[in-house]
Amino acid sequence: MKSFMTFRESLSLAVAKEMEADPSVFVFGLDVPDHKRIFGSTKGLVEKFGLERCFGTPLSEDAMTGVALGAALSGLRPIHVHIRVDFMMLAMNQIVNMISNLRYMSGGKLTIPLVIRAVIGRGWGQSAQHSKSLQSFFAHIPGLKVVMPTTPQDAYSLLRTSIRDDNPVIFLEHRWLYDVEGEVDERKTIPLGNATVRRQGDAVTVVATSWMNVEALKAAEVLERRGIQLEVVDVRSITPLDEETIIQSVKKTRRCIVADYDWAFCGFSAELASLIHHRCFNDLKKPVERLGFAPVPCPTTRPLENLFYPSAVHIIRIVEQMLGLEKTDLSGESFYSYEHNFKGPF
Amino acid sequence: MNHGELLKMGEYNHLSIEGCSPDIIRCLYRFMLRLRRCQEALIKEYYPADEMRCPVHFCIGQEASPAALSLLLSQSDYLLSHHRCHGYYLAKGGSMNALFAEIYGRATGANGGIAGSQDISVHDLNFFSGAILSGSVAIAVGVALGFQTKALRSVAVTAFGDGATDQGIFWEAINYAVLRRLPLVFVCENNRYSTYAPLSKRQGKENISERVQSFGMNVKTVFGNDVALLYSVFSNAIEEAREGRGPCFIEAFTYRWNAHVGPGEDDYLGYRSVAEREFWKKNCPIALLEKQMVGQNLMDSKIKEKMIVEIDQEIATAFQFAKESPFPHLKEWSQLNYNIDTPQADRLLETIDSSFFDQNQKEAMPGPY
């Protein structure tokens, strides 16, 4: 069945489908059952499945993450939700020392069917403690899978796949994507480790994560008017990583920008740049360029926040440099800053 | 004492100003009135202007605790607060101009616009806040350890809500403060709710103080809207800590009138009872004190009027200061990495051209995909 819905609706639909299909699936976390329902992404679950399978927690991330692990070991399939990825930092001992290790340490005997959903990235003047992304950080740890959907279809299908996965999966959702609409085919399954070409082009490949796909498509739209065709590859999952789709695209365009939504230094963008340089050394016309957060904690004030997060403008300027073009006049263009569209209070 | 029992009390009539000098009483009153009016003015100005572009947590109804602390801490003492921090910021001597400018994201703000409301700090005044609950509690323990190690007579105070006591780190910090007999005062503003979740849905028993006491901590439980009582309890605790007689934990029962975040009210959601709201509004910390002051001829409509005029002038000046102040200078963007030993970060910052940003740029919405 196909229907049109927002990203947030696709998330709650995916969880509802899995909870219906498997009584061992449950969802919990701080603020999960309150009236806001994690920006609407857990809407309807309390009503449908009751507080036994959809419940809030004390402000005890470390302990609750241990609880999730224990529940997974006992045969349940927990989905632990964090309204900000920053709050997961309170549970890093459980995630990095316990959850990620157990399957390996048990010689593969134990399974850890556990999903940790977290809202990432930009809100609106969120400052340094409510604004991170951290996929590089999680992907650095062997034993964790890291998924970053961009479209409602991907959010739906990848969340269902993640819940069915027998390994711990960190599922990262950009806050600005929640309002994005798209068609969702409820029967469509997407495996983890499967990148997709969002847009075909021949000039430059932009490999993007999460919200950066939106920015890359905007950059492509602007540059298309100058006859430049960007190819946009959405990696969809950081680990497992679909190397072949990325490499094939870069071999075709022979130029690549990795547009990651995280800090660049020691980040996923560095990992991909290294991979691409190795595998496409003789194909590349230019070194791989990388784009990410500015190397500072996130500033609150709007002008600096706009510089902190990478955008379509950054992509356009880098493409122009790579191709040796004059700067495009962007004064008439529209971009995504939420400067006027977003109204507080948080 | 717990919230349920308090509601049965009806009207609070134990506030006594006997032990305090008239000067102190007037200062406490003025602080609370100033804080209240400053919050109300910010709320009024919030929409439709929409210039305060960061989450703002208002503290109307919770003025007493910062008021009492405002008279008891010296510059060298540290105050580490939570996200609902405007009162504590003013208590430590932060200027209203710099507070408003910070919320407006201007270069003249306390942190140059970088921190916003919930992470505001003033280095010179040893004031800190933060948006991770209980984040400041353990830091305060470390600050107090520093004072003890250096044999200073300074005191650290950390203020937090009942939500922070859900966290494991809170109990670890309590234990260590007792173990080391640190010069530290814990102020728990128990307003019963962490965002929308009442304490009863987060903790098996509503007896935070009792549990803290079992760690060997000195504990006081007080009605947190009685500013005279708070002043006396804080004063003793800070003195004891200063004299090296160890830490103290004070649980002050109080209530936030507004929504968890932002300028609105959220009572329509039904997570808090009407009776509860009425109890706390009836026992408003300012009104309770005012009643006693009037009874002792320390307050009349003329004095109050004069105070209001002064306060409102300060608020008007702060708005004007904030709105006329510039945003941070974009040319200085590449100097935002303050760590001089990381040239790599400097290079990365330089590649982000500050001329990219245009506040008047047209805006688009993404999708559908």
Side-chain angles (χ1 to χ4, degrees):
Chain A
M1 201 179 83
K2 284 187 182 183
S3 46
F4 207 69
M5 67 182 75
T6 59
F7 189 90
R8 59 161 63 78
E9 288 163 342
S10 75
L11 289 168
S12 59
L13 180 67
V15 174
K17 289 276 178 195
E18 288 305 314
M19 288 175 86
E20 266 166 27
D22 182 350
S24 64
V25 176
F26 70 101
V27 55
F28 76 120
L30 197 62
D31 302 334
V32 162
D34 76 22
H35 65 285
K36 289 189 174 157
R37 306 284 162 94
I38 313 289
F39 302 111
S41 68
T42 56
K43 199 176 169 190
L45 299 177
V46 178
E47 290 74 8
K48 208 163 180 184
F49 303 100
L51 282 169
E52 298 76 35
R53 294 181 67 195
C54 178
F55 53 90
T57 68
L59 295 88
S60 309
E61 290 83 358
D62 198 9
M64 290 305 124
T65 305
V67 167
L69 173 56
L73 288 172
S74 77
L76 298 178
R77 302 186 90 86
I79 305 168
H80 191 195
V81 187
H82 297 273
I83 198 160
R84 298 278 188 284
V85 75
D86 312 63
F87 302 158
M88 281 176 74
M89 299 302 99
L90 290 145
M92 287 313 278
N93 179 47
Q94 288 294 330
I95 296 169
V96 178
N97 286 330
M98 317 288 177
I99 289 173
S100 63
N101 290 345
L102 262 178
R103 187 157 200 191
Y104 183 77
M105 294 297 180
S106 72
K109 289 193 189 95
L110 292 172
T111 57
I112 317 292
L114 162 60
V115 175
I116 303 179
R117 283 183 49 205
V119 179
I120 62 164
R122 191 169 183 179
W124 183 79
Q126 292 290 319
S127 194
Q129 296 176 333
H130 279 32
S131 54
K132 297 183 193 71
S133 193
L134 298 174
Q135 62 270 24
S136 307
F137 197 29
F138 296 121
H140 187 65
I141 310 298
L144 301 177
K145 295 185 177 182
V146 182
V147 180
M148 300 183 86
T150 308
T151 66
Q153 178 73 65
D154 286 0
Y156 173 84
S157 299
L158 291 172
L159 185 51
R160 290 196 70 170
T161 307
S162 299
I163 295 167
R164 289 179 181 226
D165 200 293
D166 277 336
N167 297 284
V169 178
I170 313 288
F171 197 87
L172 303 173
E173 306 152 14
H174 191 279
R175 192 174 151 188
W176 280 7
L177 290 171
Y178 275 54
D179 291 316
V180 168
E181 292 178 314
E183 191 161 81
V184 174
D185 179 349
E186 289 181 18
R187 287 158 310 182
K188 186 173 178 186
T189 57
I190 303 173
L192 305 187
N194 182 268
T196 189
V197 178
R198 290 250 164 258
R199 185 186 191 281
Q200 305 267 357
D202 55 11
V204 178
T205 295
V206 182
V207 185
T209 53
S210 185
W211 177 260
M212 287 315 294
N213 283 284
V214 174
E215 299 287 353
L217 291 171
K218 168 57 77 172
E221 177 195 316
V222 172
L223 289 166
E224 185 175 33
R225 275 179 248 130
R226 293 183 70 180
I228 299 153
Q229 300 294 346
L230 294 188
E231 179 144 307
V232 179
V233 179
D234 184 346
V235 295
R236 298 204 285 200
S237 65
I238 309 297
T239 46
L241 180 66
D242 176 0
E243 292 185 17
E244 294 316 313
T245 304
I246 296 165
I247 297 302
Q248 263 177 35
S249 172
V250 177
K251 281 186 184 287
K252 180 177 82 176
T253 63
R254 309 180 73 179
R255 292 180 186 85
C256 180
I257 301 169
V258 182
D260 190 26
Y261 204 80
D262 199 352
W263 282 295
F265 190 74
C266 284
F268 176 60
S269 61
E271 184 65 39
L272 268 194
S274 159
L275 173 81
I276 294 163
H277 280 129
H278 262 273
R279 292 197 52 191
C280 308
F281 191 68
N282 292 321
D283 303 289
L284 286 170
K285 287 191 177 164
K286 292 270 181 183
V288 175
E289 293 288 343
R290 300 195 286 140
L291 197 51
F293 296 166
V296 288
C298 178
T300 302
T301 185
R302 300 294 289 165
L304 300 187
E305 191 186 35
N306 274 314
L307 293 172
F308 174 84
Y309 289 109
S311 72
V313 181
H314 297 96
I315 296 173
I316 292 166
R317 295 304 181 220
I318 293 174
V319 169
E320 288 162 349
Q321 280 170 22
M322 283 181 119
L323 298 175
L325 302 169
E326 294 283 301
K327 277 188 173 183
T328 314
D329 174 17
L330 301 175
S331 53
E333 300 291 343
S334 306
F335 293 102
Y336 311 116
S337 75
Y338 280 37
E339 191 64 38
H340 309 292
N341 285 328
F342 198 87
K343 300 289 172 197
F346 74 100
Chain B
M1 199 183 291
N2 65 42
H3 271 274
E5 286 168 18
L6 281 172
L7 288 192
K8 292 179 201 147
M9 182 172 72
E11 199 156 346
Y12 180 82
N13 50 22
H14 307 295
L15 192 147
S16 163
I17 59 175
E18 292 301 327
C20 293
S21 76
D23 275 350
I24 284 174
I25 291 299
R26 268 193 287 267
C27 285
L28 291 172
Y29 182 83
R30 193 181 193 284
F31 184 95
M32 290 195 293
L33 190 66
R34 175 170 171 252
L35 177 54
R36 172 74 57 91
R37 291 189 79 80
C38 137
Q39 304 290 293
E40 285 173 345
L42 286 169
I43 285 170
K44 211 170 147 195
E45 191 67 22
Y46 206 95
Y47 293 123
D50 209 22
E51 287 183 86
M52 295 173 225
R53 293 181 160 247
C54 57
V56 184
H57 302 79
F58 294 102
C59 62
I60 289 182
Q62 299 184 211
E63 290 92 348
S65 169
L69 284 176
S70 73
L71 301 180
L72 293 166
L73 296 177
S74 67
Q75 191 269 339
S76 63
D77 295 327
Y78 273 58
L79 176 54
L80 298 101
S81 145
H82 44 73
H83 53 291
R84 202 173 302 287
C85 59
H86 298 174
Y88 293 105
Y89 167 90
L90 293 175
K92 205 66 181 67
S95 89
M96 204 183 283
N97 281 2
L99 172 65
F100 281 32
E102 185 63 30
I103 299 173
Y104 275 76
R106 306 306 164 109
T108 54
N111 304 96
I114 286 176
S117 167
Q118 62 183 358
D119 292 310
I120 194 168
S121 62
V122 190
H123 174 243
D124 296 341
L125 298 172
N126 298 322
F127 170 78
F128 300 86
S129 70
I132 305 293
L133 290 197
S134 84
S136 71
V137 176
I139 302 170
V141 174
V143 169
L145 183 66
F147 293 156
Q148 189 185 59
T149 306
K150 291 191 249 170
L152 299 175
R153 277 176 52 81
S154 298
V155 171
V157 176
T158 173
F160 46 88
D162 50 292
T165 72
D166 289 3
Q167 295 282 3
I169 192 173
F170 169 79
W171 300 97
E172 295 167 29
I174 290 286
N175 175 55
Y176 200 65
V178 172
L179 181 73
R180 301 292 297 252
R181 278 175 72 84
L182 295 175
L184 173 58
V185 176
F186 296 86
V187 178
C188 175
E189 286 183 273
N190 182 338
N191 70 8
R192 201 177 200 178
Y193 295 90
S194 168
T195 312
Y196 309 107
L199 191 54
S200 60
K201 285 194 177 171
R202 298 180 283 114
Q203 298 189 10
K205 199 169 177 191
E206 293 195 37
N207 64 341
I208 295 170
S209 287
E210 220 174 283
R211 279 177 277 144
V212 171
Q213 194 168 30
S214 74
F215 278 67
M217 176 76 78
N218 292 319
V219 163
K220 288 271 184 299
T221 310
V222 293
F223 184 67
N225 284 10
D226 180 341
V227 71
L229 178 60
L230 277 184
Y231 177 78
S232 136
V233 169
F234 286 170
S235 175
N236 286 338
I238 289 170
E239 195 51 33
E240 291 288 298
R242 224 184 269 293
E243 293 304 323
R245 287 194 281 271
C248 183
F249 175 89
I250 297 152
E251 185 179 14
F253 287 85
T254 185
Y255 202 68
R256 93 176 125 75
W257 291 10
N258 280 77
H260 161 67
V261 61
E265 292 189 6
D266 57 8
D267 288 320
Y268 67 92
L269 295 167
Y271 74 105
R272 305 195 289 188
S273 78
V274 176
E276 182 176 270
R277 187 166 70 243
E278 279 174 1
F279 169 83
W280 287 102
K281 288 206 170 169
K282 189 158 62 188
N283 292 307
C284 161
I286 301 175
L288 287 179
L289 183 63
E290 189 174 319
K291 195 174 152 196
Q292 291 299 317
M293 290 173 77
V294 171
Q296 310 259 335
N297 291 322
L298 288 175
M299 177 56 62
D300 57 35
S301 57
K302 215 169 142 188
I303 301 174
K304 189 173 177 180
E305 208 46 55
K306 187 166 169 273
M307 249 185 215
I308 288 177
V309 170
E310 286 169 10
I311 289 168
D312 287 357
Q313 183 53 54
E314 187 190 7
I315 292 169
T317 306
F319 272 124
Q320 192 182 357
F321 176 78
K323 289 177 185 176
E324 286 176 5
S325 291
F327 281 105
H329 209 294
L330 293 184
K331 279 191 188 141
E332 288 155 20
W333 167 255
S334 61
Q335 272 110 59
L336 266 186
N337 171 34
Y338 297 108
N339 185 344
I340 54 164
D341 297 329
T342 52
Q344 166 91 5
D346 289 337
R347 278 202 301 279
L348 289 170
L349 271 174
E350 276 165 22
T351 62
I352 302 167
D353 185 348
S354 64
S355 65
F356 286 177
F357 174 67
D358 176 2
Q359 211 166 355
N360 299 315
Q361 190 88 49
K362 279 195 289 181
E363 222 174 324
M365 294 300 278
Y369 296 122

